[in-house]
Amino acid sequence: LITNKKVFSYLEYNIEGELSMPILDFSKLTPDNQAVKDLKDLIELTVFQNEDMERFMTFMPKVTNGKKVGFIGEMEDVGIAGAGCDPEYQKVAIAAAQKVWEIGDWQVPLEMCYEDLENTIAKYCLKTGTNIADLTSTEYMDGIVLPKLTEAMMKMLWRFTWFGDKDAANIDGSGQITDGLNVELFKTCDGFFKRLFAICAENSGQHTVISANSEASYALQKSKMKELGAATSVFDTMLEDADSRIFQKSGHAIFATKSLCDSLSRDVREKYKVIMPWTVIFDGLEVGEYDGVTVVKCSIWDRFIQAYQNDKTKLNLPHRAVLCSPDNLMYGCEGDNPISDLDIWFERKPRKNYIYSTGKLGSMIGEDNLVQVAY
């Protein structure tokens, strides 16, 4: 189910709001002119572009809440000046650390009633007679709801793993979540950004400051990032200050918001008079290279910040970048797949349709000193 990308719709879709509301809003798609009767004839204008999660982080199956994980580091320096016979033997230590998985629960409880689809083009998908209320095994369910739900649940994983916060609060409650947004959308587990910010609070050397983030308006946050030298300075400082061991790790890269990457491209062009090429590798994911290091454009972060951390005047840290290896960013669950099976059924007594899925999820940063974060 999760890999199903065949979707047919021309819809306004919002899984982030009240989860008990109808899945899709057909209210603006009326069949009055009888011009369109087949939902597959509708053109999908926007598709959620899901960057490959494994390019950014590593999935760990079969982890449980409280499970301890040990990490082995380097041995202390060995080798001293020779002293002939009877050398003095020394004891050396091997660096080690232990972390504990924190796994939280998530659920997707949805209900649908066929009456929400009447007087819309979706009515042509309904069964007839006594079975009209049963949406299971219909074109609406199989061709629209399930593919869209697949996308929404992948988006859910991104939200939890990167923007999760067990203490999430709206801005009017002294938090960072956009006012009016349901904070329960973030409370399953602490995500990577919360953990990265905590690491930088402990060690300021791992934090590369992006001054444009502190501006007081959208316009200034954007324009200051475009100033000559602003973006290249951020990337240069990250590379200079980062622990050199990061560059020895497989898949290491700078993962950055689209806003920061676009500013980098502009800065390179204006400052060095060269074009920074970007290669689309899959599903719209763009990858470039700066000073010999891979740069991955994480446009999903921009969309999330705009939607989730917006006080209507400015955004919370709209420009961000993380230099590390995906091996050091881990997310896990108790099973073999972070997305659980869907339970879909029609209940005869209330004449309603239900979809339910539940699972557990958590995130972990392996070695705290092997990340460099710009914000």
Side-chain angles (χ1 to χ4, degrees), residues 5 90 172-173 194 358:
K5 291 294 182 182
Q90 298 176 315
D172 61 9
K194 183 175 181 179
T358 187

Side-chain angles (χ1 to χ4, degrees), residues 341-345 354-357:
D341 293 337
L342 293 173
D343 192 4
I344 306 171
W345 75 98
Y354 299 90
I355 299 177
Y356 185 78
S357 183

Side-chain angles (χ1 to χ4, degrees), residues 273-305:
K273 310 305 179 185
V274 296
I275 301 299
M276 181 178 176
W278 292 89
T279 302
V280 178
I281 56 176
F282 51 76
D283 287 344
L285 179 66
E286 294 184 76
V287 174
E289 184 177 294
Y290 181 78
D291 200 13
V293 177
T294 299
V295 179
V296 182
K297 190 179 296 187
C298 307
S299 59
I300 190 172
W301 291 356
D302 299 75
R303 298 193 295 271
F304 279 8
I305 294 168

Side-chain angles (χ1 to χ4, degrees), residues 8-11 26 28-43 119-125 139:
F8 306 95
S9 62
Y10 174 24
L11 314 164
F26 279 86
K28 296 181 180 179
L29 302 173
T30 60
D32 295 341
N33 60 8
Q34 299 293 311
V36 178
K37 293 186 178 182
D38 189 344
L39 291 180
K40 292 183 179 180
D41 290 337
L42 299 176
I43 300 174
N119 299 318
T120 74
I121 59 172
K123 75 176 186 179
Y124 299 109
C125 295
E139 185 179 8

Side-chain angles (χ1 to χ4, degrees), residues 21 45 54 56 62 71 76 90 150 246 257 315 352:
M21 294 298 287
L45 295 183
E54 296 307 315
F56 297 80
K62 293 182 170 61
F71 298 91
E76 291 179 338
Q90 298 176 315
T150 296
I246 295 176
T257 56
L315 301 176
K352 289 185 177 180

Side-chain angles (χ1 to χ4, degrees), residues 20 130 307 339 352:
S20 63
T130 303
I339 292 293
K352 289 185 177 180

